[in-house]
Amino acid sequence: MHGMTDEKDGHPHSGIDYLSELPQARPHIHETRKFPDGFLWGSATSSHQVEGNNSNNDWWDWEKAPGHILDGTLSGRACEQYERYEEDFDIAKSLHQNAHRLSIEWSRIEPEEGKWDMDEVVHYRRVLEALKARGMSVMLTAWHFTLPKWFAAKGGWESGDAIRAFERYVSFLAAEYGDIVDHWITMNEPMVYLVQSYGAGVWPPGVRSPIRNIHVFSKLCLSHKAAYRAIHRVLDGRTGADGKPVPVMVGISQNVITFEPYRKQSVVDGVFVWFADKMFNRQFFIWTWGAHDFIGINYYFHYRIKYVPRKITQLFYEVHTENREVSDLGWEINTAGIFDAIISMSRYRLPIIITEHGVANGDDGKRPRIIVAALKEVYHAILSGVDIRGYFHWSLIDNFEWEKGYSGRFGLVAIDYLTMKRTPRRSAYVYADICKANGIPHSLLRFMGHGVRW
Ligand code: BGC
């Protein structure tokens, strides 16, 4: 049967009717690529990046020092979400999102060691209830990079007391908000924190020391484990209104980088990639094994790595993009990589949630395509058998992008920082179509350049 010619286009073809032989293919041709029922469609933020006036944490003074924030901006009033959260949640709801990820600002809840600010505790209850009132599932991050000043002054994660202090804080959150939170993230991207704060030294406390880096790594692992156990201790055994046990889901958000050897023929590039993948993506899970109910993946980076022994400054490697498509921040856009990240992390045989994925793209020329392309990869990963429960786009609104200041615009919704006006971008509506359909409408795939059959 080989070598036949298609009557319509004259192209040689094998004569095999692929579509009838692939059980999944036929029903999908023109239909929405459906995601599993109950899939979480949301977006994510973090307290310091959106709330404003978080003057009691370690970033507030750090930002003021010359050179620390590349564009010279300060978090300041940020997006005023502390006051405008209902407006933002209304927007998310109107965009058909059924879930939201946000963080609690530790320095507000516990402004002094061991003292809880009950006004702030009530404030966050209102915030979380506002999500529930809109029928949205709540994913709560306990620690997203910022530390209370008192904790930083004691030495931050290096302090002898750090694990106990974090456990006390997280237990308090579990007791206060356990009835309202669906997924707990104890910490966001511990490995990124280590690289930025104790490797490159560009985030507070601005340390560059391999020894202290390793010390903090061990403290973060132990702190996560303590927090994981604490949340389960407080919440296990609860039952819902129907009398059935409510599952307690606790994890972390891990920034997963897809590393690729630059020279495929080079053994040394390959070995280095294996090492980088293990150290950056997997080491934390190895050391905290047994303390995860799901794996949270944040996907942004694809690194083509060339091992360069003499370049100590870059940890012996260079990353190459060679004029590929990049975001406004110069990060290579490689949406197909999210599939590889998922497959790699599926080795742990736990449910996976994409807790962040997004792109800095102020004019929104790329974001719609990037969302569709990445979700198509997530769809393929689901078809391949991986238990993926949700996708949270970073971010709902533009916000304070750490050492990059306000120039990195990640929002589905644009913020005018003078008026604080929120304006959904085109990508927000593209994503809304997907959330509403619980899948990727075929028309969107066609629009993004896919053939009718694929
Ligand atoms: C972090 C966010 C950050 C985003 C974009 C993630 O690494 O969790 O806080 O804004 O990436 O850089």
Side-chain angles (χ1 to χ4, degrees), residues 158 191 194-200 207 209-218:
E158 291 173 282
M191 301 309 290
L194 285 165
V195 169
Q196 300 290 74
S197 295
Y198 288 87
V207 173
S209 154
I211 301 283
R212 290 172 69 182
N213 197 316
I214 292 169
H215 179 210
V216 174
F217 171 78
S218 69

Side-chain angles (χ1 to χ4, degrees), residues 45-46 49 101 144-145 188-189 192 203 253 255 298 300-301 329 331 355-356 358-360 394-395 399-404 410:
T45 61
S46 88
Q49 295 180 270
R101 174 175 172 226
H144 197 121
F145 298 151
N188 181 66
E189 299 187 346
V192 170
W203 288 2
S253 282
N255 188 307
N298 293 356
Y300 294 94
F301 297 109
L329 296 180
W331 303 350
T355 45
E356 286 181 33
V359 60
W394 183 274
S395 176
N399 57 52
F400 180 69
E401 178 54 24
W402 306 113
E403 85 283 7
K404 310 274 193 327
F410 281 86

